[in-house]
Amino acid sequence: MEFTFDGRAMTGFRGDTLASALLANGVRLVGRSFKYHRPRGILSAGPEEPNALVTLGTGGRREPNLTATTVELADGLVAESQNRWPSLKFDAQGINGLFAPFLSAGFYYKTFMGPTRRAWMFYEHFIRKAAGFGRAGEEPDPDRYDVRHLFADVAIVGSGPAGLSAALAAGEAGARVVLIEQDFALGGTLLSDPQDSESAAWLSGMLARLAGMPNVSLMTRTTAFGAYDGNVLGLVERHGSGTADPKEGQARQMLLLLRAKSIVYASGALERPLTFANNDRPGIMLASAARIYLNRFAVLTGTRVVVATDNDSAYRAAFDLATAGAEVTIADSRAEPIHDLREQARRRGVAVRTNSLIANALGRRAVRAVSLSEPGGAATVRCDLVAVSGGWSPTVHLTSHFGVKPVYREDIQTFVPGKLGAGRFVAGAVMGGLTTAGAIEQGHRAGVDASAFCGAAKAVQQPVRLELTEIDAGPDDSPLGTSLRPAPLAQLVRGGYGSPAILPELHRPRRSGETSHAKRTRGGDEEGAKLAAGKAFVDIQMDVTTQDIALAHREGYESVEHLKRYTTLGMGTDQGKTSNFYALSAMAGLRGMAVPEVGTTTFRPPYTPVAIGALAGRSIGHHYKPIRRTPMHDWHVANGAQMLEGGLWMRPWFYRTSGRDVNEAYVAEMRMVRETAGLMDISTLGKIDVQGPDAAEFLDRVYANGFARLPVGRARYGIMLRDDGIVFDDGTTTRLGERHFFMTTSTAKAADVMSRLEFLLDTAWPDLRVSVTSVTYEWAAMSVAGPNSRDILAAAFPDLDVSNEALPHMGLLEEQYRDMHLRIIRLSFSGERAYEIYVGASLGNEVWCRLMEAGAPFGLKPYGVEALGALRVEKGHIAGPEIDGRTTLDDLGLSRMVGKRSGYVGEVLERREAFSDPARPRLVGLRCFEPGKQLHAGAILFRPNESLQGHGLGRITSVTYSPALDAWVALGLLAREAAVEGAEIVAASPIIGQAVRARVVSPIFLDPKGERLRG
């Protein structure tokens, strides 16, 4: 396969990762660090990788911050390094290293605070340019993303020996099993063993058995990024890089929500690096990673290798590297490793140095030697690869997402999952068991228990054991817990592939009282101190050093959560997977406490970064939210309506037949409604059916003004309050029968009102016998308004009596139309005589056309929401801009509606003293009297000759040009002391730099006695 890295053409093989292909092509420098821009190489072989962050693709497919260790190689793949300029080899910002003393932990809190209050505005430009890693693409992404829901009896996370054993056991028990693996190959750590080993044969046999089980699903390239309540797992499934074809309907990534009855966590463990001076140089790699690249990908990552370790597991990597032809030296910090390990090393020609610690890594763009600190003095060993192993940290992330704190095990010096709830099980290395045989046994037991929890009870066979042999077929068992039989040399040459490995037994971790590297180099050993000159990194990605942790401790940031935020430790894309434990241990040592007393930081989803596209799925563009169209939508579009998104609804903004643009059209439509008649689509109003013996009592409590005595066949305008006394919504409710009401709400608050009513019935008044049902989509609704509205209605429905006596203001008329209910309510939002007509949604367009046809001789035309809003301003009707979550009934001049009523929601807190403060604003009308100027919504109100600074005395909420008055008018909220009719006010709009003089008037600009709407 051909691919490019920073424009350089290279080749790899199918089954490679980008990281293995780069290593095979001799690439060691892959990136630059976040703060100091130091050269960095590949550290690991999995998602814990802190250094090898790359950007893939071009144009709309450009995706930054992907770990090269998890990117599956594809033919034609285009990758580039990040966080460097002008090039990876020469990064100008590498000069930051010279200023390291000024860039210590928390420097940004101390540096960017002066010398003036506005200095940050200067710094911000440069900080933002320097921050971050990769650059996202700016073109539209041509690929598809999708969302699916899955269900299973048993979900198993991880396909290592524990996960495979659990899957087989649960599958044999008859459970529906889903096995989840983030890699593109199944096997977990087994894949790092030589290709001809017993573990490879065991893996092949297990996969064959599982593939033949119809109730077992094997998911590769799928990461479990989060665990949630109800045993829900968040998964992201990825296609191979560049292999998803959107033309074929394939999704590049898919978000999967898996609901499982039980979960088995077999997520394994991550190897820890070691901390020493310049431990970030390219060529320094985890020992397990060096073994994976060798046996799985056939890449020998070094020919002269130093393996630095404090445990047994690194010996397997050393032996495999030596078998492949590398010259290997083991620097073991322990005084006496297992005798058998030393004997096996001797037979392979591997030198073992005990009581040996790396003090410093020499080299700049790549390691070329290490300085060792040993009891007999310092030593220098030349090398081109340093494979390090500081023990293992179980992957407890997912098990912690439920809020279960991990617990510390002193015997293995690490954190393991705490006690999980019912239906959740753990197996293998995640519980600290680091032998293959133990993982298989635990996985089998977890699979049996998980399937039994789901009710699957078929007989299950004993686990398929992995029989291990000693390298030289000796009589004693291998202390490493797995086969170390070497593969033929030919298989270890680039181009052949092996299989990954199991977590070896951790023989004896360093106890808390043992001498540490830091103590040995900082003590009286002057030579060791010289060797250790240089930065020792804890968080390699975020450039957090041991000195930064010590500084945080000195400055009082001792809590692990404070340490994390002050130093940025663990806040990179790797989320501290390789650095977290050392940081906790270091802070514990500085505070003189045990590690469990210090605790851990909080593990939160996602486990690895998730693309926003995967989270969005198809919910983009107009699909971001569901588009709602009224039954008359097509008619509006066909007749020149300019549509406008109002919440989730598409509504006519204005009609092009009325004017060239909205400013011209809405004025013409206002005149039409005032002089003849207009037809408005109001199907978007919230419609709620309220029924039950206690329906009247319920509404009497919900609305601030009374509804219990509302006569049947009559409508009433109502105001709802929140619990805190603030106005929640307004609307109209009509009584259809003694126990039956029809409520309409504002378009914007329809869902909120419905939710509120259900909440009150479920919690506050569960004793009330009431049912509330949203019927918004069942009814098409339209309003005919204007002087000719009654004549139009009579012409459209000649069999109905719509006279003033039969259908007075706020009256109801119900009839049948084509075997469906026809409901006409006489009420007005515009100030003109108006009728709201409700009919079944399927007949909405037909009734609309019938009204338009009948109204043509009377001058009827449609009008849009812009004209509707302007008409209501002229009439002084409040709406969303006035009901903004801050106003009370008294502020809006509606307290007279309530009078001395009691027992409604919000009554108690509405009477708070603060709501009677004279400084509170009240609703007023404003009329501009400056020729050639207009008022603007949002303008701040001031007294004449007052400095136009601060929040002023109030604000304009709604504004319109009134053709009836030939003036700009507005509704506003003005401090009561200034809200005197006739007073002059200055409306300042700082954004456009304009100040307009206006006069305070009544908020009802037109027909204050209501003669038009009652006529």
Side-chain angles (χ1 to χ4, degrees):
M1 290 183 168
E2 296 183 354
F3 70 101
T4 63
F5 179 69
D6 282 349
R8 175 185 164 191
M10 301 181 188
T11 58
F13 292 90
R14 188 177 308 279
D16 260 326
T17 62
L18 176 59
S20 67
L22 289 173
L23 289 169
N25 281 274
V27 177
R28 308 187 77 179
L29 176 62
V30 294
R32 293 281 175 161
S33 68
F34 176 66
K35 185 163 61 175
Y36 300 125
H37 288 254
R38 288 167 66 101
R40 293 286 163 83
I42 295 169
L43 177 74
S44 73
E48 69 273 25
E49 175 60 37
N51 294 333
L53 299 180
V54 297
T55 296
L56 292 189
T58 58
R61 289 191 170 96
R62 182 182 178 89
E63 186 175 1
N65 295 331
L66 298 175
T67 50
T69 52
T70 60
V71 172
E72 183 179 357
L73 194 66
D75 203 27
L77 183 144
V78 177
E80 64 180 53
S81 57
Q82 302 181 162
N83 201 43
R84 78 290 186 274
W85 183 87
S87 69
L88 183 59
K89 288 186 177 180
F90 177 75
D91 183 2
Q93 291 194 61
I95 196 173
N96 288 358
L98 300 177
F99 299 96
F102 305 100
L103 303 177
S104 58
F107 76 93
Y108 27 82
Y109 298 120
K110 307 165 189 175
T111 306
F112 304 111
M113 297 178 66
T116 67
R117 292 182 62 184
R118 296 184 60 84
W120 170 254
M121 306 304 291
F122 172 78
Y123 300 137
E124 184 180 23
H125 171 74
F126 301 98
I127 292 173
R128 290 197 180 280
K129 288 186 68 174
F133 284 103
R135 180 176 59 83
E138 299 177 1
E139 299 177 25
D141 190 337
D143 290 324
R144 282 184 50 182
Y145 300 85
D146 224 328
V147 178
R148 285 179 57 201
H149 295 263
L150 301 179
F151 301 87
D153 293 327
V154 181
I156 300 170
V157 181
S159 71
L164 294 174
S165 183
L168 183 62
E172 288 181 341
R176 292 179 304 160
V177 180
V178 173
L179 179 66
I180 303 152
E181 173 55 56
Q182 63 189 1
D183 204 334
F184 53 87
L186 295 168
T189 54
L190 293 174
L191 294 174
S192 60
D193 280 347
Q195 199 171 33
D196 66 342
S197 64
E198 286 85 350
S199 58
W202 182 89
L203 173 61
S204 298
M206 287 291 288
L207 294 181
R209 292 186 63 177
L210 291 171
M213 301 177 73
N215 58 323
V216 176
S217 298
L218 305 176
M219 300 184 67
T220 57
R221 301 182 179 91
T222 304
T223 301
F225 65 82
Y228 304 92
D229 292 343
N231 276 1
V232 176
L233 290 174
L235 314 176
V236 170
E237 183 181 33
R238 305 171 305 279
H239 274 278
S241 306
T243 61
D245 186 357
K247 296 179 182 178
E248 298 295 326
Q250 296 174 336
R252 179 180 178 183
Q253 294 187 23
M254 185 175 294
L255 176 69
L256 305 166
L257 297 179
L258 173 60
R259 292 166 173 83
K261 294 180 180 178
S262 63
I263 303 174
V264 176
Y265 295 98
S267 47
L270 300 175
E271 192 168 27
R272 303 172 193 156
L274 294 174
T275 304
F276 49 86
N278 297 312
N279 62 330
D280 63 328
R281 293 304 190 202
I284 299 176
M285 181 182 294
L286 295 176
S288 58
R291 189 166 185 259
I292 289 170
Y293 289 121
L294 176 66
N295 291 329
R296 178 179 177 181
F297 301 110
V299 180
L300 185 61
T301 48
T303 56
R304 303 181 68 174
V305 184
V306 172
V307 177
T309 183
D310 62 2
N311 63 84
D312 295 343
S313 66
Y315 279 74
R316 286 196 305 172
F319 295 165
D320 284 0
L321 290 166
T323 302
E327 179 185 327
V328 180
T329 299
I330 297 177
D332 195 327
S333 63
R334 296 172 296 179
E336 285 298 329
I338 295 177
H339 172 74
D340 191 62
L341 289 176
R342 297 191 66 174
E343 181 60 25
Q344 292 185 53
R346 184 189 63 77
R347 292 200 298 267
R348 285 168 177 73
V350 175
V352 179
R353 307 174 75 110
T354 59
N355 267 324
S356 181
L357 289 151
I358 295 182
N360 196 358
L362 307 178
R364 187 168 178 270
R365 290 182 181 168
V367 65
R368 55 181 177 82
V370 292
S371 297
L372 301 178
S373 175
E374 298 175 345
T380 299
V381 178
R382 296 188 65 81
C383 59
D384 55 8
L385 172 66
V386 180
V388 297
S389 177
W392 298 83
S393 294
T395 312
V396 300
H397 302 69
L398 288 177
T399 61
S400 302
H401 288 175
F402 296 106
V404 177
K405 290 288 186 181
V407 296
Y408 189 73
R409 279 183 54 183
E410 178 64 33
D411 59 326
I412 56 174
Q413 290 191 311
T414 192
F415 286 93
V416 298
K419 186 176 180 181
L420 301 180
R424 299 166 191 158
F425 307 88
V426 288
V430 70
M431 280 303 292
L434 300 178
T435 64
T436 305
I440 293 172
E441 292 284 350
Q442 292 173 23
H444 177 82
R445 186 165 55 252
V448 171
D449 293 344
S451 56
F453 181 84
C454 303
K458 289 184 181 179
V460 177
Q461 299 179 9
Q462 290 297 312
V464 180
R465 298 183 182 278
L466 174 55
E467 300 297 336
L468 305 173
T469 61
E470 171 61 26
I471 295 174
D472 297 324
D476 54 338
D477 291 336
S478 168
L480 299 178
T482 186
S483 170
L484 289 173
R485 178 173 296 157
L489 186 61
Q491 290 185 6
L492 297 170
V493 178
R494 188 61 174 96
Y497 290 91
S499 308
I502 4 193
L503 298 176
E505 180 182 3
L506 183 61
H507 173 63
R508 189 185 67 82
R510 184 187 302 142
R511 298 291 186 250
S512 56
E514 289 186 347
T515 303
S516 68
H517 162 71
K519 289 181 180 178
R520 288 175 56 178
T521 56
R522 280 203 306 265
D525 189 353
E526 182 179 345
E527 187 177 12
K530 291 179 181 178
L531 290 174
K535 292 186 177 298
F537 290 91
V538 178
D539 187 322
I540 297 180
Q541 184 175 108
M542 300 304 292
D543 278 343
V544 180
T545 66
T546 53
Q547 295 95 326
D548 290 327
I549 296 176
L551 177 63
H553 173 260
R554 290 198 303 272
E555 297 190 348
Y557 296 93
E558 298 180 339
S559 162
V560 291
E561 296 289 0
H562 293 163
L563 169 67
K564 175 180 179 179
R565 285 152 182 81
Y566 190 62
T567 64
T568 71
L569 191 148
M571 296 180 69
T573 61
D574 63 337
Q575 290 291 286
K577 289 181 175 64
T578 58
S579 62
N580 189 53
F581 184 82
Y582 184 91
L584 301 177
S585 303
M587 183 55 74
L590 291 168
R591 296 179 65 182
M593 301 169 63
V595 173
E597 293 180 81
V598 173
T600 66
T601 53
T602 302
F603 296 101
R604 299 184 180 91
Y607 170 65
T608 54
V610 178
I612 294 176
L615 296 176
R618 301 190 193 186
S619 300
I620 58 174
H622 282 294
H623 299 290
Y624 176 63
K625 293 180 179 178
I627 293 295
R628 297 177 178 174
R629 298 179 176 87
T630 72
M632 292 78 83
H633 177 86
D634 291 342
W635 188 96
H636 300 318
V637 173
N639 286 270
Q642 176 66 50
M643 304 304 288
L644 176 73
E645 292 185 26
L648 300 179
W649 288 98
M650 297 300 294
R651 307 185 69 184
W653 185 19
F654 66 93
Y655 290 85
R656 296 185 185 88
T657 54
S658 301
R660 291 170 298 178
D661 57 25
V662 64
N663 294 316
E664 183 178 299
Y666 91 86
V667 174
E669 291 172 1
M670 285 179 70
R671 285 196 175 100
M672 173 187 67
V673 174
R674 296 283 184 226
E675 296 170 2
T676 55
L679 187 62
M680 174 72 191
D681 186 349
I682 58 170
S683 301
T684 61
L685 292 177
K687 310 171 194 71
I688 300 172
D689 191 81
V690 184
Q691 297 191 50
D694 299 322
E697 173 64 20
F698 173 60
L699 293 175
D700 216 39
R701 299 180 187 181
V702 168
Y703 283 114
N705 50 320
F707 270 75
R709 297 180 181 178
L710 179 66
V712 174
R714 300 289 291 181
R716 179 170 293 168
Y717 175 76
I719 293 283
M720 294 183 190
L721 304 184
R722 300 189 318 215
D723 291 333
D724 59 2
I726 296 294
V727 175
F728 177 48
D729 192 40
D730 67 338
T732 305
T733 294
T734 307
R735 192 164 195 167
L736 307 178
E738 287 295 330
R739 301 181 174 187
H740 192 187
F741 293 81
F742 178 66
M743 176 189 294
T744 61
T745 73
S746 65
T747 297
K749 289 289 184 67
D752 294 336
V753 171
M754 182 66 192
S755 177
R756 177 70 170 161
L757 297 181
E758 292 178 324
F759 173 80
L760 291 171
L761 286 173
D762 287 343
T763 59
W765 312 310
D767 56 313
L768 292 184
R769 296 165 297 171
V770 179
S771 172
V772 293
T773 307
S774 174
V775 293
T776 299
Y777 306 112
E778 295 185 24
W779 295 92
M782 56 212 80
S783 173
V784 57
N788 298 337
S789 57
R790 181 185 290 127
D791 297 333
I792 294 169
L793 203 60
F797 305 103
D799 297 334
L800 302 183
D801 184 0
V802 293
S803 64
N804 200 46
E805 293 74 20
L807 188 56
H809 182 61
M810 304 304 281
L812 165 70
L813 179 63
E814 283 196 291
E815 291 292 341
Q816 290 292 113
Y817 178 79
R818 299 261 317 264
D819 298 326
M820 295 187 72
H821 273 86
L822 177 68
R823 187 175 292 165
I824 302 176
I825 305 171
R826 182 178 171 185
L827 54 87
S828 176
F829 193 61
S830 62
E832 299 295 331
R833 182 193 306 125
Y835 303 85
E836 293 185 353
I837 300 105
Y838 296 87
V839 69
S842 60
L843 293 177
N845 193 66
E846 180 181 325
V847 172
W848 176 275
C849 292
R850 182 169 181 165
L851 286 167
M852 287 298 300
E853 184 180 355
F858 300 95
L860 180 68
K861 291 182 180 179
Y863 66 102
V865 294
E866 189 72 22
L868 177 68
L871 290 166
R872 71 94 183 169
V873 172
E874 280 189 330
K875 185 57 183 174
H877 275 307
I878 60 171
E882 290 74 45
I883 306 175
D884 64 353
R886 294 178 288 178
T887 50
T888 68
L889 287 172
D890 203 27
D891 297 340
L892 300 175
L894 300 174
S895 55
R896 64 185 182 278
M897 293 175 56
V898 179
K900 297 182 179 180
R901 282 194 73 242
S902 62
Y904 55 89
V905 173
E907 173 208 352
V908 175
L909 295 182
E910 178 205 13
R911 305 188 192 282
R912 282 179 288 175
E913 184 179 349
F915 285 171
S916 302
D917 187 340
R920 284 191 66 83
R922 56 165 290 195
L923 186 70
V924 298
L926 296 168
R927 181 169 177 171
C928 176
F929 62 82
E930 283 197 77
K933 290 189 177 182
Q934 68 180 69
L935 300 172
H936 294 276
I940 307 171
L941 304 177
F942 298 91
R943 290 190 178 92
N945 303 320
E946 188 177 28
S947 175
L948 305 182
Q949 299 291 327
H951 298 288
L953 301 172
R955 65 191 184 281
I956 290 179
T957 56
S958 304
V959 66
T960 186
Y961 171 75
S962 170
L965 303 176
D966 191 23
W968 284 91
V969 297
L971 298 178
L973 291 162
L974 182 62
R976 299 181 192 194
E977 59 184 18
V980 179
E981 289 196 24
E984 184 179 330
I985 288 293
V986 175
S989 302
I991 294 178
I992 61 176
Q994 187 180 75
V996 181
R997 296 163 63 198
R999 201 162 311 278
V1000 178
V1001 297
S1002 167
I1004 304 175
F1005 299 97
L1006 197 69
D1007 190 25
K1009 295 182 179 180
E1011 295 171 349
R1012 294 191 183 204
L1013 59 89
R1014 289 186 174 86

